Amino acid sequence: MKHSIALVSCLVALFGCESSQHSQIVPKGQQSKQAQQSLQLAQLANDLNTPSEVEYTDPGFVSYSHNKQLANYAGQIALELTDSMSGVSPNAVAITSFVSFDKSLRNSNQLGNQLAESMIHQFQKLGYPALDFKSHRGIAVTRNGDFILSRDAKKLPQNPVPSHVLTGTMIYRDRGVEVNSRLLDFDSRLVVASSNVIIPYFILHPSATVTY
């Protein structure tokens, strides 16, 4: 672009010099023609020097990805529980699946179980010991792997007994899942801490909220 502007400027300068040197011997008709060409070259040089306007249309806010994860909301729940917990020091917290807020309160899904798993980690981070009541006293060695977790209640030990239990319900709103969590004293069933968080649908996989 710079080379083009320089070239046109040189042509205008040379053309002007040549016109001035031969102005006395060039006929009037030729003089007006040369003057017109000189004006055209000058206009071309001016156009090259003037930056062209670029039309810009604001597309608005467009989010192609997000950095939010379910663990972020589990951390928020843990912090809210800690803030509302006054004068209580749990020594063994059992964390159960979060359930759909229906008539039975016995229906969970992928989201409810993942929240429970994430809360174990979040409570450990905050210094509250979480009790994994799904673990055996022994290790089952099989061809498929070595296991210590089970969902067979008959094979699980009854001790130790948790001091507190964390549970929660899930209500499906228009734009997200409202998660109501509460920490209960295991013996008295008194609520010692509570939390309310809404998880937007856009961070959840479609299968996460399917009840089973």
Side-chain angles (χ1 to χ4, degrees), residues 9-87:
S9 300
C10 291
L11 288 174
V12 172
L14 290 173
F15 192 86
C17 293
E18 184 179 354
S19 299
S20 62
Q21 291 175 0
H22 300 284
S23 58
Q24 295 179 356
I25 59 175
V26 177
K28 292 183 179 180
Q30 291 293 330
Q31 288 180 1
S32 60
K33 185 177 181 181
Q34 289 176 352
Q36 184 178 2
Q37 290 176 348
S38 178
L39 288 173
Q40 291 175 349
L41 287 172
Q43 182 62 40
L44 177 59
N46 183 61
D47 292 341
L48 290 173
N49 279 306
T50 304
S52 58
E53 294 183 0
V54 179
E55 292 185 3
Y56 175 75
T57 303
D58 185 4
F61 176 76
V62 180
S63 177
Y64 296 103
S65 62
H66 62 84
N67 296 322
K68 280 285 189 178
Q69 297 180 358
L70 187 60
N72 299 126
Y73 292 94
Q76 183 178 344
I77 292 172
L79 288 175
E80 287 192 7
L81 289 170
T82 303
D83 290 340
S84 63
M85 194 188 309
S86 59

Side-chain angles (χ1 to χ4, degrees), residues 127-146:
Y128 300 107
L131 176 65
D132 196 339
F133 52 86
K134 296 188 294 296
S135 60
H136 286 283
R137 288 193 182 276
I139 299 174
V141 180
T142 71
R143 293 181 178 180
N144 295 326
D146 308 322

Side-chain angles (χ1 to χ4, degrees), residues 48-205:
L48 290 173
N49 279 306
T50 304
S52 58
E53 294 183 0
V54 179
E55 292 185 3
Y56 175 75
T57 303
D58 185 4
F61 176 76
V62 180
S63 177
Y64 296 103
S65 62
H66 62 84
N67 296 322
K68 280 285 189 178
Q69 297 180 358
L70 187 60
N72 299 126
Y73 292 94
Q76 183 178 344
I77 292 172
L79 288 175
E80 287 192 7
L81 289 170
T82 303
D83 290 340
S84 63
M85 194 188 309
S86 59
V88 178
S89 298
N91 54 41
V93 180
I95 301 175
T96 62
S97 300
F98 288 64
V99 297
S100 299
F101 189 67
D102 55 17
K103 294 181 180 179
S104 68
L105 295 178
R106 288 281 183 171
N107 296 313
S108 188
N109 50 29
Q110 180 181 342
L111 174 60
N113 287 318
Q114 283 187 348
L115 276 173
E117 289 295 313
S118 296
M119 292 305 301
I120 294 176
H121 172 63
Q122 297 299 332
F123 261 61
Q124 286 293 112
K125 283 174 57 179
L126 294 174
Y128 300 107
L131 176 65
D132 196 339
F133 52 86
K134 296 188 294 296
S135 60
H136 286 283
R137 288 193 182 276
I139 299 174
V141 180
T142 71
R143 293 181 178 180
N144 295 326
D146 308 322
F147 307 101
I148 195 172
L149 299 178
S150 174
R151 291 192 182 277
D152 189 347
K154 295 179 181 180
K155 296 180 179 180
L156 297 177
Q158 300 300 315
N159 292 315
V161 177
S163 63
H164 295 79
V165 60
L166 174 64
T167 186
T169 59
M170 300 177 294
I171 304 174
Y172 305 98
R173 302 298 188 188
D174 292 337
R175 296 186 178 182
V177 182
E178 181 181 345
V179 180
N180 295 290
S181 311
R182 46 192 173 270
L183 185 66
L184 307 174
D185 184 286
F186 189 71
D187 293 327
S188 65
R189 302 299 191 267
L190 290 175
V191 178
V192 299
S194 60
S195 167
N196 176 268
V197 170
I198 294 180
I199 304 176
Y201 286 123
F202 70 82
I203 77 156
L204 299 173
H205 190 274

